[in-house]
Every structure is written in C-alpha cells, then in structure tokens.
Amino acid sequence: MAQKTLTLYLAKADIEAFEEVFTEEANGKLGREATTIVDAPDFAEGARLFVFAGDPHQPKWLTDVGRLFEVPNQIWTASAAGVLLFRTSGRLFASTFAHGWMYLDEHCFEGDFGLRAAINALDDKKLRRLERANLGDALRAVALSPFQRGLTTFGMDDALDLVRKISGRTRDEASADSMSGSRSLRVTGEFGLEDLPTLASDALEYYGSDAYQQTEFAILDSVMPVTDLRLREELDDLTATSIRNGEDLFELGLPISFEDQAVSYRFRGPRSRGAWPDLLLQDYVAAMGDRLVDLTTETLKDHQVVAIFEDDGRPNAKWSVKSSLVGSLVHENERFATNEGEWYRIEQQFKDAIEASFENAIEDWDVAPEPLRKIYDDKGNGHYEAEVDYNRRFAQTQGYVFLDRALIRIPGVDRSDFESCDVLDVAGKRFLHVKKSSRRSSVLSHFFKQGANSARHFSTFTAAWTELRALVLARAGEQAARDLDQTTNDDRPWRVEFLIADSPRQDGRFNIPFFSKVSLRDEFRTMRAMRYETSLRFIGLQADHHR
C-alpha cells in the first residue's frame, strides 16, 4: 500500500456540536449552495464532512500567459477545501484537506496536541526536523538532518530552547511510520482514510501520556510555549486583574525588536503628558489614575509605550503596553510566565532552581559606586546619562581602565573581534561588564553571553592577553600595563562581574526577567568551568542634578 499523510486536530473536551469548531467566515459559508455537507454516522462514532468550494474564477497567471500564447478565454478554476469532523474515544477530531485548516477556530482546539502527541510517539534517536526558538538569543531556527539523529545532537541542551515543531520516525509500537507535530499532528504510513479513527485514538493516548519524561524529550518540560489560544486569553485577563489590584507580579520591559536605547518614555492612552527616564509599570499605573479600575486586556493592547530619542530627527518608536509586560503568575496550580508578548508554562521545580541560582549570584557592594545620573530639562522631562559616559566616569573615579567599545582582535583568527569588558580593574583582576536597565530579557541574555565569550577568548588564546596589554598601555599608560603584567602572573583567579544599573522593583529589591536568569545561570556555569570567579551586582539610579 502506498504511504499516505493525514492531518489531525483535537477539539477541546467541551466542544460537542460539529459546527462549533468553525471560524466566523466558515459559518457564513455553511448555508451556501457551493458548500457540501455529508453526514456519515457509521464513520467512527459519527462524522460529518464539509467541503467548501470557492467561486469559479480565471487564474491570475492566465493574463500574463495570454500575452504570448493563444489561450481560450473559457478557462476557469475554483479552489476547494475539506474538513472531516468525527468522534472517537469520546473526543471530537478534525482532519483537513487542502486549506481546510483555515476554517478552524483556534479557540476550539488543543494548541499543544500535535507536539505533545509527537514527543510521546517519536523515537528520540530518529529525528529529522526540529523547529525551535531560543528565548535567550531571540532566534528562531529550523534544523534539518539528512539522516536520523537524537534530540541533543540538534543542540537541544539549553532550557531556553523551545520546540515549536518536531518531525521524525516513530517508535516501533506506533501505528504510523513517521509523525510531525505542532498544533496539529501529521501522520504518515501505509494506511487509508478508513484508518483515521484508529490513528486518532492512538494519538489521543499519546497526547495524555507522560512517557516522554523517560526520554531526551524530558528537557522540554522546563519551559513550554503556551499555544492554546483560549488559555492565553485567560492568562491575559488574569494579568489585567493583577495590575488593577496593585499586585507586584509584573513589570514593563522592552520588546525584542527594540535595539536602541531611548532617552525617555511616554505612555499613549492614559492621557498623560509627562516623560519618564525609565520604563516602569508603576509610572503607567500612576498615569492611568482613576481609570485603572477599568483596565482590561484590550486596554493593555490599545495603550502604547512611546520611546523618545535624543536625536530630534529620529522618529519615536511605539509598541503596545501588553507586549512590554514581563512577569509570572500561578493559574490552576501551574506557573506561567509572559515575556515580550508571549506566554510560557514554567515547571515549578525548574523555576525554583533558577531563582535560587540568581539569588546566589548577587553580591552586595562594600562601598556602592555613584549611581547613574538622571538629567532633567526645564520642562521636567528626564533621561539617564549614556552608558558609555557612566563607564568612563566610573573608571576614572575608581582608578580602573576604561575599555568600553575597545575591540581586541586575535592575530590570525578571522572574525575574532571581541570587547574584553567595559571597565578593567587591574589590581582586583576583574573584568567588569556594565549594562543600563534590567528590563530587556533578550538584551540581558546577550550581555551575559558577551561576557562569557570574552572569558572564553582569554582562556583559549594567549594572544588575547598580549592584545589586552597593548590596549591597557594605550588607554592608561606604562604603569597600568606593568601592573597588568604583575597581576596576570599571580595566583589569584580572574573574576567576571556583571553590573546592571536600574531602579529596584516595588518590593525594594533588584531583579531581572526570568529568562535572563536562565542565561545568567548557564553562562556562570561555563565561566566557572574555565576557572573564573563570577558575580552580579546592581547599581542604583538617582536624580542628582537638573539640566
């Protein structure tokens, strides 16, 4: 028998009537003459086939072809798509043909059905395709393999790697030969349409199984994207309620697409005219005033954050308040986190371990350095000094070497340019990396990776130290270079410190987004394995003078 590929969707348990699963557009077509509906009570536990046919039309390409060739004007085409709805094992399933999936309402279907069924049915050593996104790097990628290989050989050893779609060969006991899972489940094997009820029943068992936890797929439990549209909307509503109630569960961060530092921020929607030097949820709440009691998910979507730049010729950047929210909550005994507009299910044990590693990474100051200066204009609008200006002043005050934006290139190694650190404490043997604002998950994750990359270069290339000495000599003089020679040869380990300048949260403590904490833990592990000491410190922000 020739192999066939079939697609399955699992309706939510509370969906009973066939017509409930369709979009508004599809429901509008149900009464049309061009739509065919066929009942099949003997298929599975009852089925109904819907065939949606489009209006006849001439193909768009026919006009171009007709300019060069004599083509009859009577050529017409009409697209058609099918949706087969059937019940089996007490649940309602959909199988689609052509573009039939476009007629299904996402609210009515399990968002993780295909992915969860697949990871229980697939052989974790015989994968062919992996589509994933990394929360730390803000990257999406598709990995393909001409041969079958294991999950970890795709590089899936990072808790921030989220699998969105996976394909491969199934285990021997599976009814299909291969599967591909995301929202839907695509099954391929030597079967026909008459086998669809059996395939669906098997898929339902895989969906409810936790067998994957005994395989390499267990890593996927740490962080799982919430693909269920209904659940996402529930979480959005709970977030709005939390903000209305004044709970300290969320804060505002900057979205992944925002690459530049703004000098101040405004809110469009709450009818406030002031500008703030930092992006804080408490300022948005204050701007809402009496209207806070009416805050809803739609309010958060409609209201905007406006980033204002120092360059007057540069247009302001805008995005929704909702896409800026960062934080987490507990719903039905599960922990969910939102980051840059998306929701994720977080395993509680994993979250607790990450939070503990973050607390252990923080070190207090013996003598805190001067905070970043907040500068106001005559209208009361303020912004913080530039990061590079602070680093220069910090280095001068402390007697360190200012190296911000000074690149080192390893001789003979292509594309090896890297920044050793922002500020070098020669006597203390410390590479100091400084970042303004702790509200940007992707930026902070990149910041931690940069520090680890610098440490890796110094551990790998002796020439990196030679280039660092030349840089110190050029920036700080002969004495600083001789001091570097002396400290490099003593027995003390070098130390990598990340300094983050920001305001404390409402509880008075400093914090960073959850997914940045995962990156921090991983990079600290890497650097400690290279015999570096590591730490994280926070620098305050202060309004200490006016322009």
Side-chain angles (χ1 to χ4, degrees):
M1 180 184 294
Q3 287 207 331
K4 182 182 291 294
T5 297
L6 299 171
T7 303
L8 283 166
Y9 295 82
L10 175 63
K12 288 185 174 295
D14 61 353
I15 301 297
E16 298 181 0
F18 289 138
E19 284 77 6
E20 285 186 73
V21 306
F22 289 121
T23 63
E24 184 177 345
E25 178 186 358
N27 280 318
K29 293 184 176 182
L30 293 181
R32 295 177 54 180
E33 186 176 346
T35 300
T36 301
I37 303 176
V38 180
D39 280 312
D42 296 330
F43 187 89
E45 298 167 11
R48 185 171 295 167
L49 174 66
F50 298 80
V51 179
F52 299 91
D55 296 325
H57 62 277
Q58 285 193 327
K60 292 182 179 180
W61 52 264
L62 193 62
T63 301
D64 287 338
V65 172
R67 293 193 184 103
L68 300 176
F69 303 95
E70 293 185 7
V71 181
N73 294 328
Q74 291 79 24
I75 295 179
W76 297 83
T77 185
S79 61
V83 177
L84 174 61
L85 301 175
F86 63 94
R87 294 187 180 89
T88 188
S89 299
R91 294 293 292 270
L92 178 63
F93 288 84
S95 184
T96 60
F97 307 91
H99 58 277
W101 59 272
M102 297 179 67
Y103 295 114
L104 300 179
D105 184 350
E106 288 187 27
H107 293 84
C108 300
F109 291 88
E110 303 288 1
D112 60 348
F113 165 63
L115 182 60
R116 188 165 290 274
I119 62 177
N120 276 302
L122 292 176
D123 187 326
D124 60 354
K125 300 295 190 296
K126 296 180 179 180
L127 304 181
R128 285 290 182 89
R129 175 187 174 100
L130 195 70
E131 184 176 325
R132 65 185 177 185
N134 186 280
L135 285 167
D137 292 337
L139 296 177
R140 291 176 183 262
V142 177
L144 297 170
S145 176
F147 53 88
Q148 300 168 9
R149 55 184 173 133
L151 181 68
T152 55
T153 65
F154 279 92
M156 276 297 302
D157 56 0
D158 189 334
L160 294 185
D161 273 325
L162 306 177
V163 173
R164 298 185 179 276
K165 187 174 184 178
I166 194 166
S167 303
R169 299 285 295 182
T170 57
R171 296 200 299 270
D172 292 340
E173 65 272 20
S175 51
D177 295 331
S178 61
M179 285 186 181
S180 178
S182 55
R183 174 177 294 277
S184 64
L185 181 69
R186 290 171 59 86
V187 294
T188 300
E190 295 182 354
F191 42 66
L193 199 61
E194 63 276 8
D195 299 307
L196 201 53
T198 300
L199 294 169
S201 295
D202 290 347
L204 185 61
E205 288 189 23
Y206 287 128
Y207 178 62
S209 173
D210 59 4
Y212 71 92
Q213 294 176 348
Q214 308 305 315
T215 70
E216 290 182 355
F217 291 123
I219 190 176
L220 305 185
D221 264 352
S222 298
V223 182
M224 289 284 286
V226 176
T227 55
D228 189 298
L229 187 58
R230 188 187 296 181
L231 176 56
R232 291 205 304 261
E233 291 177 349
E234 289 177 8
L235 295 172
D236 287 341
D237 290 341
L238 289 172
T239 300
T241 300
S242 173
I243 296 172
R244 282 199 311 271
N245 293 339
E247 297 173 346
D248 188 21
L249 299 181
F250 298 92
E251 59 193 61
L252 292 181
L254 296 171
I256 236 171
S257 58
F258 186 74
E259 298 178 355
D260 299 292
Q261 295 283 346
V263 296
S264 61
Y265 301 90
R266 297 181 188 273
F267 297 109
R268 178 171 293 175
R271 301 173 185 169
S272 63
R273 296 183 178 180
W276 286 267
D278 203 2
L279 185 58
L280 302 177
L281 182 60
Q282 64 196 47
D283 292 331
Y284 173 72
V285 169
M288 286 293 293
D290 295 339
R291 300 170 64 199
L292 183 65
V293 295
D294 299 321
L295 184 93
T296 65
T297 299
E298 292 306 312
T299 309
L300 297 172
K301 290 179 180 178
D302 293 340
H303 287 185
Q304 291 182 318
V305 176
V306 181
I308 304 166
F309 301 95
E310 198 164 21
D311 181 1
D312 292 337
R314 186 172 181 180
N316 297 335
K318 298 182 284 291
W319 58 88
S320 72
V321 172
K322 181 183 178 300
S323 65
S324 286
L325 288 170
V326 178
S328 69
L329 51 77
V330 175
H331 176 53
E332 295 184 350
N333 298 318
E334 290 189 291
R335 171 71 62 175
F336 296 92
T338 184
N339 187 66
E340 299 176 342
E342 299 291 337
W343 280 102
Y344 305 91
R345 180 182 282 104
I346 309 295
E347 184 185 39
Q348 188 63 45
Q349 184 176 357
F350 173 71
K351 182 181 186 300
D352 292 343
I354 293 299
E355 295 293 350
S357 69
F358 171 69
E359 293 298 331
N360 291 334
I362 300 174
E363 290 190 7
D364 294 327
W365 298 94
D366 293 331
V367 179
E370 183 181 352
L372 262 75
R373 292 173 177 167
K374 190 183 293 183
I375 305 168
Y376 289 93
D377 60 22
D378 54 6
K379 296 180 180 179
N381 297 320
H383 70 272
Y384 293 110
E385 64 182 313
E387 196 175 281
V388 65
D389 294 336
Y390 176 81
N391 290 339
R392 183 181 292 106
R393 183 163 56 84
F394 175 56
Q396 291 173 348
T397 302
Q398 301 294 328
Y400 301 153
V401 183
F402 173 68
L403 295 179
D404 193 354
R405 305 184 184 183
L407 298 181
I408 287 177
R409 177 175 297 176
I410 309 300
V413 180
D414 293 337
R415 296 183 295 277
S416 61
D417 295 27
F418 73 99
E419 187 180 83
S420 59
C421 59
D422 295 308
V423 177
L424 180 66
D425 174 11
V426 175
K429 299 188 73 170
R430 295 188 300 161
F431 294 106
L432 305 177
H433 301 269
V434 183
K435 181 59 62 179
K436 183 173 69 173
S437 180
S438 62
R439 317 277 168 153
R440 302 177 66 186
S441 181
S442 59
V443 171
L444 280 182
S445 295
H446 181 66
F447 172 57
F448 299 143
K449 289 180 183 295
Q450 277 187 315
N453 181 58
S454 169
R456 187 178 298 107
H457 276 86
F458 285 112
S459 292
T460 306
F461 301 104
T462 302
W465 293 101
T466 303
E467 296 300 315
L468 178 63
R469 187 189 191 280
L471 195 56
V472 170
L473 177 63
R475 288 290 182 96
E478 183 65 37
Q479 184 59 52
R482 286 197 298 268
D483 292 343
L484 179 63
D485 293 337
Q486 182 177 348
T487 57
T488 301
N489 293 321
D490 68 32
D491 294 333
R492 292 176 300 153
W494 276 89
R495 187 177 185 85
V496 178
E497 291 193 7
F498 296 103
L499 313 182
I500 300 176
D502 203 353
S503 301
R505 303 318 195 242
Q506 291 185 28
D507 61 1
R509 304 176 64 187
F510 290 99
N511 208 344
I512 64 176
F514 176 77
F515 298 115
S516 296
K517 295 176 184 177
V518 181
S519 293
L520 180 71
R521 181 204 63 172
D522 293 346
E523 300 308 334
F524 271 22
R525 284 178 175 177
T526 298
M527 290 185 288
R528 288 168 182 164
M530 294 186 288
R531 307 297 177 89
Y532 290 93
E533 292 184 351
T534 58
S535 70
L536 172 69
R537 300 180 194 266
F538 288 94
I539 303 170
L541 304 175
Q542 181 179 335
D544 60 298
H545 73 286
H546 292 263
R547 191 180 345 183

